[in-house]
Amino acid sequence: MKRLNQFLLILSMLFSLQVTASDLNDIAIFYRCYSQITQKFPDPQLSQIAAVKAGKDPITACLEIFDSASFANKTHTLKAANVNDDNAKAVLKTMHTLHFSWFAMQFYPEIASQYLTNVNNILDSSSPASFLTKSLFDNASPMSDIVSGTVSYRPIRVFENVPNAPYNGTAIADYIFTNVKFASVGNLLGFEILPVDDTLDYSFDENQNPPESIITGTLTYNKHFGGGLMGHQTYLIQNIKSNTFNPTPDGGVKTMRNWSRSVFNDLLCRALPAVRESDGASFVDLQSSITFRNSQSCVKCHTSMDQMAGVVRGAVYSAKVGKFFNPGHSAFIEERTPTQPSADIFPTAPDPAFRNRPPEGRLYYRTHNGTLVDQAVSNLQDLGTKIAAQDDMYNCMAKRYYQFFTGIDGDIGDIADPHHGTLSSEELVVRGIILNLGQQLKTHQNSRVLIETILRRPEYKKSNFNVGGF
Amino acid sequence: MKSIIFNHYSLTKAIWLLILLCFISCVGGTKSELVIENRSPSSNSSTLYQQHCMSCHGEIENSEKIGRTFTQIKGAIHSGAIAAMNGASLLALTDQELQEVADALDRPFPPGPPQTLQFKQILGGREYLISKFKMIFMTDGMSSSEETTIKNLIDDFLTKPGYLGGKCEHLAFCSNLFGITQQEDASALVHPIPSVPRRGVLTKACQEILSLDTAVTNALTFASLTSSSTANETNIEKLFTVMNPSIIINSTVSSGLINLHTEAKTIHALSDIEAWQMVIYALCVSPTFELL
């Protein structure tokens, strides 16, 4: 019993080590940083450890390892990691996995009871996160690129431990696509650019048993709607989440609001409502047949979601292809050409022609400092430009990197909203730090610089990241 | 070596308790000292609200309809658009009464409760833990049968699919088309959420691995110690630092570990290596071991 007490006593002491504040020495800071960016326990033989012992600045030493994953000076511009450089690969994987974890949707959805499992084999489900990873490791790529342009990235992976590599560029037996380069599986090496508007050929026998006629055809699997990651095929398929293969948005009852809700979450770190109670007032229409329009409390979420969703109104699924069982179905997102003139983007009655009108929408939300953003946008690319012109996307990225490196989750919402909870004095300090980092990021547009700034902050050198001491 | 310490039922239970306590208290923060004053609505109008509105829209203090004007309320009742509000009792309310309800609702939104700083310990993911267990408890290039057992134990507990994730690297989803059926929990790689199953797996891994002499000697060698090294402050610090390189030990922990070693030997007559086994086990099962 005596021994038991001693044992428990020591365990409780160990626990207390992590919550009390003390200053870390340089070696400990290096170990902390190295483990965070590689997700590996460092080998004591690592040359940087000797260098830090000899007086090198620990953050500089850690950033050396971080920068080994940089795209600079690589023969293939988009390839980060040398296959033989374990640290570089680990850094790339850690940061990409981190970026991927920021997305609300990470799977291909089920549509009309059909799982789009087959899409996975062509479009890596983490493709939208590639924009963030690319921007981080390519110094020439400004942060605003993540919401701009029609480039379509896809991870390049290499098989190390996983059996049955599919990634050899050719179709395998029983596979329905005959001319497609599969998404690779394995450790991340970098990114490739998939040709936009690329097509693939398919050939399958829907029911297999008894054999019926073989269905063949060609379809476009990689349309891009503009606006960087928001218009990437993967992002559209994952987030539009229509419950039918033939969505007919009417701007009222039916609209692509899952997608815009994800944009608020993924790029602005905002849950809805992103406006104040009073901002919904002018949209309340008690006569409307659309029930959420009758109530201010409902409308205040819909004003942000539905107005933004207008920019993807033209999205429509390609022909659904695939066998009933393995390898599952596929459907990709194509774009309707507008045939009708512009009209109210937030109609109070369902508009049957809504889906055939130009992809116009509105960016409508309250910023971190309470300003109401209310801007018309003419398409997805324009939405990206307008998001990138505000502070909130940068604050959001600063908040997330800061949280990754310190564990501290700051509040960057509209705290002046009477509905918003009151922040403690310590939370206000942390908010100030993050908003400042966000402001800097907006200016320099470089997430690698942002990370260095975070690592060099005083709280990073504290055993408990200064929690309780701000 | 007998796994004496590991079979102690109440010990295991007590460790669990401590671990759980830690995960509650370690998510630390400070409470705001701001006191928020609430303007309370006048009594007559709030009675009207209670009688006619509360059942659907909640208590007046936190009513969904705070800030609604007379016109909005009258509109909601009389427009016919909201079927639920067409009841006789609401339609019977006079303009005067509706104005009073509106007055009661005319006040700032109640502020939410003061927040606390959200903070989560940064723990290593699966890959980190695998590399850490291997670095500390295995020797490179040695191929004794105990070394192989240690490797297999690490594989069984940490590498194979389970609570800490599996091998598949097709982030978030692995199609079974290509014979890959294991799914990896993407969040297990980065910033894992401390969870009871995760603690269970790690505690069990520490137990099984440390019941092998080789694992204990490997850890000691990694810290440039041997089983006959004395458990003094210098040696304890060496061991602690190689096992937790980003955490600074303090004198309380150091003397606690020394006492643990001493009592194991003096009171319980354990051998040198068994006494160190106790110390290393304590370090291994502590959540500190998972911290980055």
Side-chain angles (χ1 to χ4, degrees):
Chain A
M1 214 52 218
K2 198 86 198 281
R3 178 170 84 244
L4 183 74
N5 292 339
Q6 190 55 247
F7 195 85
L8 295 179
L9 192 67
I10 184 64
L11 276 180
S12 60
M13 286 170 185
L14 280 166
F15 296 154
S16 71
L17 268 186
Q18 52 185 321
V19 274
T20 50
S22 63
D23 288 318
L24 297 185
N25 60 35
D26 283 0
I27 311 281
I29 293 170
F30 175 79
Y31 272 100
R32 166 182 274 179
C33 177
Y34 176 89
S35 320
Q36 287 182 346
I37 63 170
T38 60
Q39 291 287 305
K40 285 198 297 184
F41 187 72
D43 185 333
Q45 307 302 316
L46 200 69
S47 68
Q48 279 81 5
I49 293 176
V52 172
K53 282 185 179 148
K56 186 170 193 149
D57 169 59
I59 299 300
T60 307
C62 180
L63 287 168
E64 251 171 49
I65 291 171
F66 189 89
D67 290 337
S68 66
S70 159
F71 292 167
N73 311 320
K74 300 280 169 2
T75 39
H76 184 321
T77 47
L78 285 179
K79 213 174 230 173
N82 177 339
V83 193
N84 301 315
D85 186 344
D86 284 342
N87 277 328
K89 277 190 294 185
V91 169
L92 183 66
K93 175 180 176 174
T94 303
M95 299 317 289
H96 186 63
T97 309
L98 172 69
H99 297 152
F100 185 44
S101 74
W102 296 344
F103 288 82
M105 284 300 300
Q106 301 177 334
F107 295 87
Y108 290 106
E110 183 189 0
I111 295 179
S113 311
Q114 310 278 4
Y115 280 103
L116 299 184
T117 44
N118 208 358
V119 179
N120 249 299
N121 297 315
I122 299 158
L123 300 170
D124 187 301
S125 51
S126 74
S127 299
S130 309
F131 288 77
L132 288 153
T133 314
K134 198 255 174 192
S135 172
L136 177 58
F137 292 109
D138 179 357
N139 254 324
S141 167
M143 194 78 225
S144 57
D145 271 6
I146 65 169
V147 288
S148 175
T150 56
V151 177
S152 175
Y153 296 112
R154 182 172 79 169
I156 304 170
R157 300 171 179 280
V158 64
F159 254 87
E160 275 158 15
N161 299 314
V162 195
N164 302 341
Y167 188 56
N168 54 13
T170 53
I172 59 167
D174 207 32
Y175 201 72
I176 62 166
F177 296 128
T178 51
N179 67 337
V180 68
K181 220 175 142 205
F182 292 114
S184 45
V185 180
N187 281 339
L188 185 63
L189 273 191
F191 304 98
E192 62 187 330
I193 295 175
L194 273 188
V196 165
D197 286 342
D198 204 16
T199 57
L200 48 80
D201 299 335
Y202 55 87
S203 164
F204 63 96
D205 171 359
E206 176 132 45
N207 295 318
Q208 273 175 301
N209 196 11
E212 285 165 16
S213 57
I214 305 287
I215 303 166
T216 56
T218 296
L219 60 82
T220 307
Y221 75 93
N222 202 26
K223 261 257 167 309
H224 198 297
F225 280 49
L229 71 87
M230 297 186 292
H232 188 283
Q233 196 51 226
T234 296
Y235 197 76
L236 296 170
I237 303 175
Q238 286 176 343
N239 291 293
I240 285 184
K241 290 203 292 181
S242 166
N243 50 17
T244 134
F245 284 98
N246 182 24
T248 50
D250 56 28
V253 178
K254 289 179 283 180
T255 186
M256 273 69 169
R257 59 177 72 94
N258 282 320
W259 175 89
S260 41
R261 190 178 48 204
S262 292
V263 169
F264 275 101
N265 173 80
D266 301 347
L267 290 167
L268 302 172
C269 298
R270 295 293 284 276
L272 298 173
V275 292
R276 297 185 185 173
E277 190 77 17
S278 51
D279 301 326
S282 61
F283 296 97
V284 175
D285 179 350
L286 295 172
Q287 316 298 334
S288 175
S289 60
I290 304 166
T291 38
F292 67 77
R293 290 301 285 259
N294 303 153
S295 146
Q296 195 161 328
S297 49
C298 299
V299 135
K300 70 178 184 228
C301 293
H302 285 272
T303 46
S304 298
M305 274 191 299
D306 295 16
Q307 299 199 88
M308 184 187 284
V311 297
V312 287
R313 66 175 83 197
V316 62
Y317 290 86
S318 68
K320 174 191 69 174
V321 292
K323 297 175 194 168
F324 191 71
F325 297 106
N326 274 351
H329 284 92
S330 303
F332 300 91
I333 303 250
E334 296 177 353
E335 197 173 9
R336 282 193 192 91
T337 317
T339 53
Q340 302 281 323
S342 301
D344 190 356
I345 57 152
F346 195 34
T348 50
D351 170 8
F354 186 82
R355 62 180 185 275
N356 293 319
R357 301 190 190 280
E360 292 162 352
R362 219 168 175 82
L363 181 59
Y364 190 77
Y365 77 104
R366 290 268 181 179
T367 67
H368 63 100
N369 62 20
T371 311
L372 181 67
V373 176
D374 183 8
Q375 292 176 329
V377 295
S378 51
N379 53 39
L380 227 169
Q381 176 64 20
D382 189 30
L383 174 65
T385 309
K386 284 181 174 142
I387 287 177
Q390 296 293 333
D391 296 342
D392 300 86
M393 181 177 86
Y394 306 100
N395 295 341
C396 175
M397 299 305 151
K399 167 194 161 90
R400 284 163 167 170
Y401 284 118
Y402 189 79
Q403 181 177 18
F404 175 69
F405 285 107
T406 66
I408 301 169
D409 187 11
D411 188 332
I412 55 163
D414 170 19
I415 57 169
D417 178 352
H419 261 342
H420 197 287
T422 316
L423 300 197
S424 67
S425 54
E426 185 168 31
E427 276 186 311
L428 283 169
V429 174
V430 169
R431 173 182 163 93
I433 293 171
I434 295 172
L435 292 183
N436 189 21
L437 291 168
Q439 208 39 246
Q440 292 173 28
L441 176 61
K442 190 180 178 188
T443 312
H444 59 56
Q445 293 283 333
N446 188 325
S447 42
R448 156 69 177 73
V449 172
L450 168 70
I451 288 176
E452 175 162 1
T453 315
I454 293 171
L455 294 174
R456 293 193 185 283
R457 286 198 52 85
E459 59 268 31
Y460 194 73
K461 300 180 173 58
K462 296 268 185 210
S463 59
N464 68 345
F465 299 98
N466 204 33
V467 171
F470 281 105
Chain B
M1 187 186 328
K2 296 160 273 123
S3 41
I4 6 170
I5 56 167
F6 307 136
N7 296 330
H8 205 303
Y9 174 67
S10 59
L11 172 68
T12 322
K13 235 170 76 177
I15 293 173
W16 274 98
L17 193 73
L18 268 173
I19 288 166
L20 290 173
L21 277 175
C22 172
F23 281 134
I24 297 159
S25 65
C26 297
V27 184
T30 49
K31 289 233 159 35
S32 164
E33 274 151 36
L34 274 178
V35 179
I36 289 97
E37 268 184 57
N38 243 332
R39 210 177 91 195
S40 47
S42 80
S43 59
N44 178 44
S45 51
S46 63
T47 314
L48 273 173
Y49 178 89
Q50 276 161 15
Q51 283 169 357
H52 299 287
C53 322
M54 194 173 81
S55 57
C56 297
H57 297 309
E59 298 204 12
I60 181 115
E61 288 75 21
N62 302 305
S63 169
E64 298 168 338
K65 302 300 173 198
I66 283 172
R68 299 299 185 279
T69 60
F70 167 80
T71 326
Q72 283 174 317
I73 298 171
K74 189 160 182 184
I77 297 174
H78 291 273
S79 72
I82 307 167
M85 287 185 61
N86 264 337
S89 81
L90 292 181
L91 287 166
L93 287 169
T94 63
D95 281 4
Q96 160 78 32
E97 285 167 326
L98 290 182
Q99 184 59 55
E100 281 184 35
V101 175
D103 288 346
L105 290 170
D106 176 22
R107 60 198 172 79
F109 292 96
Q115 321 264 299
T116 50
L117 192 64
Q118 293 289 309
F119 177 68
K120 269 202 193 113
Q121 293 288 331
I122 304 180
L123 304 181
R126 181 175 63 95
E127 310 253 313
Y128 175 77
L129 290 164
I130 295 168
S131 59
K132 186 164 186 176
F133 272 88
K134 286 193 172 157
M135 192 73 76
I136 295 173
F137 300 118
M138 283 174 61
T139 322
D140 247 1
M142 301 278 274
S143 55
S144 72
S145 72
E146 284 212 341
E147 287 280 349
T148 315
T149 315
I150 297 171
K151 185 180 178 304
N152 291 342
L153 284 170
I154 295 174
D155 282 349
D156 284 349
F157 283 110
L158 305 171
T159 313
K160 288 188 182 159
Y163 292 117
L164 301 180
K167 267 181 180 164
C168 176
E169 297 286 353
H170 193 179
L171 291 167
F173 185 89
C174 292
S175 156
N176 58 13
L177 169 64
F178 301 114
I180 305 159
T181 48
Q182 304 149 359
Q183 201 168 316
E184 184 171 52
D185 175 7
S187 65
L189 294 174
V190 179
H191 229 104
I193 295 148
S195 66
V196 173
R198 176 184 154 102
R199 283 299 325 153
V201 171
L202 293 178
T203 306
K204 192 84 179 120
C206 293
Q207 284 181 11
E208 301 261 328
I209 291 166
L210 281 167
S211 34
L212 299 163
D213 276 2
T214 312
V216 179
T217 27
N218 283 347
L220 289 169
T221 313
F222 189 58
S224 322
L225 302 174
T226 67
S227 56
S228 55
S229 300
T230 27
N232 56 26
E233 210 170 302
T234 323
N235 289 343
I236 288 285
E237 186 177 336
K238 273 190 189 167
L239 180 66
F240 182 92
T241 310
V242 296
M243 288 181 72
N244 300 291
S246 61
I247 297 161
I248 307 288
I249 191 171
N250 64 24
S251 56
T252 333
V253 169
S254 163
S255 56
L257 289 166
I258 294 173
N259 288 345
L260 183 66
H261 188 279
T262 316
E263 291 196 10
K265 288 193 68 177
T266 54
I267 301 179
H268 301 281
L270 298 185
S271 68
D272 281 341
I273 194 165
E274 284 166 340
W276 279 112
Q277 179 197 32
M278 290 280 277
V279 174
I280 298 169
Y281 179 64
L283 292 173
C284 187
V285 297
S286 162
T288 320
F289 195 67
E290 293 176 68
L291 279 183
L292 294 183

